[in-house]
Amino acid sequence: MSVTPWPLPHRRLVESRPVPSTSSSSGNDSLEALLTREFDCRWPEHKAGLDAVHRYALLPSGKLLRPHLLARSALAVGGSLTAVLPAAVGFEATHTGSLLHDDIIDRDALRRGRPSVHAVFGQEMAIVAGNALFFTWFATLAECAGYGIPPGRIVRALEIQAAAGQQICRGAALELFLVGDLGASLETYLPPTMPHAARTSPSAPARGNASETPSGSPKPPSSSAPSPPDGT
């Protein structure tokens, strides 16, 4: 049985949109407008429930750095914006999901100058909404196959994103474990948490070789700091 990753009306909307120029600031503006419109189409204003929470989290958008980099990387090697636009949307969605969880952990009441998602909808809903946004990445990446992206490149992008996501979680877990440990060394803190601070690098399923994971692996905690518990 075939499964459609996303409702077909969204795909028809994507296919009808112009491809912005890559050589001017107006191209950046066009791409930002295209991405914002895509969010608006996938999470329309009239929706309720989980979709309403996602719309609140995603719109108005932030800098859109990750989808910009993903889309520009694809275009730079001759790829199709239409083919990778779903992945660009999903990449921003998974980043936003991490922000929902970060705001709960950090007890931040504000995000982008307005009440954070958990402050408006409650912590339980923010956790669920963040989880769902993580899965949006998988759905939108699979959607790229319908636009001609080879399955092997999609699998490679999944591998990279999965590895980066695990690094993020390990860094976040170490941050929590080191709370109150004023004697922790800089070497203990920085290597594991650098992926957390930088989030992920775009792994666009564009033409050409997929992006590689960051070189080198995080150093283990030094002997001066306690080791994180198993399962982090």
Side-chain angles (χ1 to χ4, degrees):
M1 181 180 69
S2 62
V3 177
T4 301
W6 208 271
L8 290 176
H10 289 303
R11 295 187 173 185
R12 288 196 292 269
L13 285 168
V14 170
E15 290 168 353
S16 66
R17 290 170 189 156
V19 177
S21 167
T22 60
S23 59
S24 67
S25 60
S26 62
N28 290 328
D29 295 339
S30 298
L31 179 55
E32 183 172 349
L34 185 64
L35 288 165
T36 300
R37 184 180 174 191
E38 187 69 17
F39 294 137
D40 188 59
C41 289
R42 291 173 182 264
W43 293 280
E45 192 169 6
H46 65 273
K47 290 288 188 178
L50 189 59
D51 286 334
V53 181
H54 286 164
R55 181 180 176 88
Y56 182 88
L58 290 161
L59 293 170
S61 64
K63 297 182 290 293
L64 298 176
L65 175 63
R66 291 153 191 81
H68 267 287
L69 287 175
L70 190 151
R72 294 294 173 184
S73 297
L75 292 173
V77 295
S80 163
L81 178 59
T82 297
V84 300
L85 185 60
V89 170
F91 204 22
E92 182 67 11
T94 195
H95 167 62
T96 301
S98 74
L99 297 182
L100 267 59
H101 291 176
D102 280 351
D103 286 344
I104 295 172
I105 294 172
D106 298 336
R107 298 179 176 84
D108 286 332
L110 295 176
R111 168 66 62 180
R112 296 169 183 163
R114 64 175 183 165
S116 56
V117 169
H118 72 86
V120 175
F121 298 95
Q123 288 191 8
E124 295 85 354
M125 182 61 75
I127 292 171
V128 172
N131 290 342
L133 287 174
F134 295 149
F135 287 106
T136 299
W137 163 252
F138 298 111
T140 54
L141 190 60
E143 200 175 311
C144 295
Y147 295 107
I149 300 297
R153 289 178 186 163
I154 292 176
V155 171
R156 180 58 178 147
L158 283 171
E159 291 174 344
I160 294 171
Q161 183 70 12
Q166 289 176 328
Q167 284 183 309
I168 290 170
C169 292
R170 289 181 184 279
L174 184 59
E175 283 184 349
L176 294 173
F177 187 72
L178 293 177
V179 169
D181 183 4
L182 301 181
S185 67
L186 191 64
E187 291 75 16
T188 298
Y189 176 79
L190 282 181
T193 55
M194 283 178 66
H196 174 62
R199 296 299 170 192
T200 51
S201 299
S203 51
R207 192 184 73 182
N209 293 331
S211 302
E212 297 297 329
T213 53
S215 60
S217 57
K219 298 178 182 178
S222 65
S223 57
S224 61
S227 299
D230 292 339
T232 60

